[in-house]
């Protein structure tokens, strides 16, 4: 191995200028490619397409629409909707949504839709028509009164008209492909159209517009994610100041920053070359790559600085640093890369893209910060003035390191390990209470007071429907809607489901048929039942069109639609579990109640996918770290010394999530893997020095003291720098970024403390004979 490293070192430094030119050309090319990178958000990327629920959802999406819906509530801020200005505005909103690029025009619905009809019982049978008649004139008070009457008769109060008659709803479904280009529809462009073509033109002092749906939520997330540019600038500024105070050289400050920026440029350029965009939910990953690059860059400048102060020339110091850090730095970065790649096991597109983005960025750092950085530093001139700045520093530092090294003495180590065990036990008990899924109403990626969530709360409060709905897909034989046995089973199951806590209301073809049947019998409530006579059943369902979403063309699939009170994890879990239990008594060989379509069905699939992936992901992450540590140190004891503190911190991070009411979701699941992947670096750098000393027979405390002298200041500095950088995310306008900032700050700091305090305590136990 040493021969190979010496050979690589000789080749790299012999052709320094050629290597720099190669990096320059590659950087310019990838900088151009990165300029072409676009934000890319898609609905299907956020769902586990292989999950049973999503297979059912995709199978019937053409008949019943997808879960990617948009709701636009138009509200009168003064009195009620029955005035000319409101109806004129509602008509314009309906028409505008109809013509927005990407909307499925056949599924746009409001009281202005021709399919929105009322039915009333008159002498001689039924009478009915569209809620808004063809000759409607909003300036005519009598016409408004007629529409008000039709709304009541149509039974759409709570659906298309709010319970307090101050709002009306316009709803639609998004297409998967752009009808103009045939390519994948741009969710972000659609979200922007909702703002510029609907909210901006029609909202005024008398009319308020409220828009919710996945596309709008992602659009708001993308807008908020732009804050990351500010955080990136702040991080660079803060990091530059801290690095300068650490190395006391402007050039030694500039070079690691430059190499880390180059790593980010390479990462973004490679994403474009591979055909990826940057999703708003993973926009923080380039920042993490920059932060990881800085942490490894600081190790390099620390090593070079020590060699120069000790009397070496800058070039020889750079070569020594390259040779000594290539293996531990490469192993640490390889651990990060493989750790991030384990996220590929999760069958959700957005997490897989994050895994590719993060692992590719960290892999690039191996080249930019372990190869390019020492080459650039070899050209520097660090004279006597630089050495004078560090005069006496080593003596002062040695006193501090000697105090820290006491962590490896038997008595102190015993206390540290006892405290660690207590913390682990507490963290374990708390982590068992961690919830899977969203724990708050509204969009969890946004703050509760965001415009989107305020719109969500208003729509949920004023309407009996929202985007929080789920469909049970009743699969049976063709024309089964004329069978009393089938319709009765649907009706009975629907009644049981409607009484599950968390279900706000339900609707199905069976429940509508009962209302129609009563209508044929003078609206007598005693006749609100399913007729046993097949001809009567045909008569009842004949008035229900396929556009209602309650049946398909041949009546072989009939959804039961559940409108939920919210989409909190415990609500979804409770309802799904109850449905799985009660449906069994109604299912036959030809009648199946399949879960689940609709937005809440998607969330249920996501929650189950996250639950199934959580333990395998952690096993793969730690498995990769263990294997690489065994290969690197060739010692089971050394490997345990690195891995145990990491595992304790990951458990404590889960306990922190429980305490802060942060659920384990698609956006938070990768955080633990990211924290472990980056946190392992501290232990590897410390133990790479320590293990070689221990193998030579040196006592544990002395070996740890020597490791601290060599790497301790850089480990403390990088831990603090990383924590300071990600802590700025706490001020993000996006809640998921704030949550990530809190969790990563915690993991960076505590992993650093684990490497400095717990690792030597474990070493004191594992190498007892060398005390």
């Amino acid at each position: 191995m040493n021969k190979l490293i010496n050979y690589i070192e000789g080749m790299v430094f012999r052709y320094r200028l050629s290597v720099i030119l190669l990096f320059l050309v590659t950087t310019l090319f990838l900088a151009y490619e990165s300029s072409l990178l676009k934000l890319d958000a898609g609905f299907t990327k956020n769902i586990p397409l292989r999950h049973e629920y999503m297979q059912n959802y995709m199978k019937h999406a053409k008949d019943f629409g997808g879960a990617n819906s948009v709701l636009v509530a138009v509200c009168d801020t003064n009195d009620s909707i029955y005035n000319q200005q409101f109806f004129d505005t509602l008509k314009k909103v309906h028409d505008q949504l109809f013509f927005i690029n990407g909307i499925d025009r056949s599924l746009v619905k409001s009281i202005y839709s021709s399919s929105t009809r009322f039915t009333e019982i008159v002498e001689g049978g039924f009478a009915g028509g569209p809620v808004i008649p063809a000759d409607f004139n909003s300036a005519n008070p009598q016409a408004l009164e007629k529409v008000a009457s039709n709304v009541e008769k149509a039974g759409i109060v709570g659906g298309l008209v709010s319970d307090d008659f101050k709002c009306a709803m316009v709803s639609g479904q998004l297409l998967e492909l752009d009808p103009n280009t045939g390519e994948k529809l741009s969710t972000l462009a659609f979200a922007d159209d909702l703002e510029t073509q609907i909210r901006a033109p029609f909202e005024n002092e008398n009319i308020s517009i409220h828009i919710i749906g996945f596309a709008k939520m992602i659009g708001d997330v993308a807008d908020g994610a732009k804050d990351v540019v500010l955080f990136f600038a702040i991080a660079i500024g803060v990091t530059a100041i801290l690095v300068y105070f650490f190395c006391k050289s402007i050039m030694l400050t500039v070079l690691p920053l430059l190499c880390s920026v180059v790593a980010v440029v390479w990462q973004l350029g490679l994403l474009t070359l591979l055909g990826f965009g940057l999703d708003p939910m993973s926009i923080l990953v380039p920042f993490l790559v920059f932060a990881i690059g800085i942490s490894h860059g600081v190790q390099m400048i620390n090593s070079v600085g020590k060699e120069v102060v000790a009397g070496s020339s800058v070039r020889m110091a750079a070569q020594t640093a390259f040779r000594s850090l290539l293996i531990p730095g490469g192993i640490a970065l390889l651990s990060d890369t493989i750790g991030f790649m384990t996220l590929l096991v999760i069958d959700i597109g957005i997490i897989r893209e994050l895994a590719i983005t993060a692992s590719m960025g960290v892999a690039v750092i191996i080249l930019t910060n372990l190869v390019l950085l020492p080459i650039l530093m070899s050209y520097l001139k660090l004279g006597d003035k630089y050495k004078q700045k560090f005069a006496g520093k080593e003596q002062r530092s040695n006193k501090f390191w000697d105090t820290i090294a006491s962590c490896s003495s038997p008595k102190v180590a015993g206390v540290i390990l006892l405290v660690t065990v207590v913390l682990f036990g507490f963290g374990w008990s708390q982590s068992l209470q961690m919830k899977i899924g969203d724990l708050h109403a509204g969009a969890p990626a946004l703050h509760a007071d965001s415009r989107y969530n305020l719109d969500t709360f208003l729509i949920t409060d004023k309407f009996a429907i929202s985007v929080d709905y789920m469909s049970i897909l009743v699969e049976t034989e063709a024309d089964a809607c004329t069978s009393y046995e089938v319709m009765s089973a649907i009706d009975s199951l629907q009644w049981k489901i409607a009484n599950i806590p968390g279900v706000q209301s339900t609707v199905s073809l069976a429940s509508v048929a009962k209302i129609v049947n009563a209508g044929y019998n003078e609206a007598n409530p005693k006749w609100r039942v399913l007729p046993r006579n097949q001809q009567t059943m045909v008569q009842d369902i004949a008035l229900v069109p396929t556009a209602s979403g309650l049946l398909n063309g041949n009546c072989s699939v009939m959804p039961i639609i559940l409108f939920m009170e919210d989409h909190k994890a415990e609500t979804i879990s409770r309802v799904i579990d109850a449905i799985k239990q009660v449906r069994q008594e109604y299912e036959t060989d030809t009648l199946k109640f399949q879960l689940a379509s609709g937005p809440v069905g998607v969330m249920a699939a996501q929650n189950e996918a996250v639950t199934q992936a959580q333990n395998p992901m952690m096993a793969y992450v730690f498995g990769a770290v263990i294997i690489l540590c065994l290969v690197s140190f060739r010692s089971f004891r050394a490997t345990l010394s690195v891995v145990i503190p990491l595992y304790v911190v990951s458990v404590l991070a889960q306990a922190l999530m429980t305490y802060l009411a942060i659920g384990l979701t698609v956006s938070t699941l990768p955080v633990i893997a990211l924290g472990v992947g980056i946190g392992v670096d501290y232990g590897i750098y410390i133990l790479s020095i320590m293990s070689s000393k221990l193998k030579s027979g040196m006592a544990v405390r002395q070996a740890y003291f020597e490791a601290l002298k060599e790497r301790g200041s850089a480990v403390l500095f990088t831990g603090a720098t990383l924590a300071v950088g990600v802590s700025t995310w706490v001020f993000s306008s996006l809640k998921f970024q704030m949550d990530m900032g809190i969790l990563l700050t915690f993991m960076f700091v505590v992993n650093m403390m684990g490497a400095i305090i717990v690792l030597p305590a474990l070493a004191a136990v594992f190498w007892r004979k060398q005390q």
Side-chain angles (χ1 to χ4, degrees), residues 444-714:
L446 302 166
H447 289 290
D449 59 353
S450 66
R451 177 65 190 265
Y452 181 89
N453 278 334
L454 292 177
D455 285 351
T456 299
F457 301 147
L458 179 140
I459 290 173
T460 303
D461 179 59
K462 290 184 176 292
F463 293 86
I465 62 170
S466 71
V467 289
D468 290 338
Y469 69 87
M470 175 174 62
S471 298
I472 302 172
L473 299 162
V474 184
E475 295 181 347
T476 182
E477 298 174 327
D479 300 322
C481 54
T482 62
S483 166
Y484 172 77
E485 287 73 18
V486 171
M487 297 291 279
S488 179
I490 295 173
D491 184 51
S492 298
L493 180 64
Q494 180 184 346
W495 182 84
K496 289 187 176 181
I497 292 172
N499 287 281
I500 299 173
V503 177
Q504 191 176 58
S505 62
T506 60
V507 64
S508 72
L509 182 62
S511 62
V512 172
K514 287 161 59 176
I515 296 172
V516 174
N517 193 56
Y520 275 117
N521 293 275
E522 300 179 343
N524 189 327
K526 291 183 179 181
W527 284 96
R528 188 171 283 197
V529 294
L530 291 170
R532 293 179 179 271
N533 181 278
Q534 190 176 41
Q535 285 72 29
T536 306
M537 184 75 79
V538 171
Q539 176 182 258
D540 290 345
I541 66 172
L543 294 176
V544 184
T546 56
S548 66
L550 298 178
L551 71 165
N552 66 347
N554 65 357
C555 224
S556 61
V557 182
M558 296 162 281
I560 302 174
I561 303 174
L562 289 62
F563 295 100
M564 311 283 284
E565 291 179 357
D566 54 58
H567 59 253
K568 294 179 182 178
E570 55 188 354
T571 304
I572 296 175
S573 178
R574 180 172 61 250
V575 172
I576 290 288
D577 290 343
I579 292 171
K580 287 180 178 179
Q581 289 182 355
V582 300
R583 71 177 178 178
Q584 295 177 358
E585 59 186 286
Y586 298 104
E587 288 191 330
T588 66
D589 292 339
T590 58
L591 180 63
K592 300 294 182 183
F593 296 92
Q594 304 283 20
L595 289 167
S597 185
V600 173
V602 170
M603 293 177 191
Q606 287 175 330
N607 293 349
E608 292 187 10
V610 168
T611 302
Q612 294 168 4
Q614 179 189 6
N615 291 330
M617 181 196 74
M618 295 303 294
Y620 293 142
V621 169
F622 279 99
V625 170
I626 289 170
I627 292 171
L628 287 170
C629 286
L630 285 172
V631 171
S632 176
F633 300 121
R634 300 178 184 178
S635 167
F636 188 67
R637 293 180 294 180
T639 300
L640 287 178
S641 298
V642 172
V643 171
I644 290 175
L646 279 176
Y647 184 67
V648 172
V649 174
S650 67
V651 170
L652 291 176
Q654 292 178 345
L656 180 64
M657 291 175 68
T658 302
Y659 176 76
L660 297 176
I662 299 173
L664 193 65
T665 64
V666 170
S667 58
T668 58
L669 177 63
V671 174
I672 303 296
L674 293 173
V676 171
I678 298 171
V680 71
D681 298 353
Y682 307 122
I684 288 176
Y685 274 119
I686 290 289
L687 208 58
S688 63
I689 298 293
M690 194 174 172
S691 62
S692 65
K693 303 293 184 183
L694 290 170
K695 287 178 181 177
S696 67
M698 187 178 289
V700 173
R701 175 162 181 164
Q702 185 61 33
Y704 183 48
F705 176 70
E706 294 297 327
L708 288 174
K709 285 173 59 179
E710 184 70 25
R711 303 271 169 80
S713 57

Side-chain angles (χ1 to χ4, degrees), residues 155-163 462-466:
I156 56 175
V157 176
L160 294 179
V161 176
S162 66
D163 296 326
K462 290 184 176 292
F463 293 86
I465 62 170
S466 71

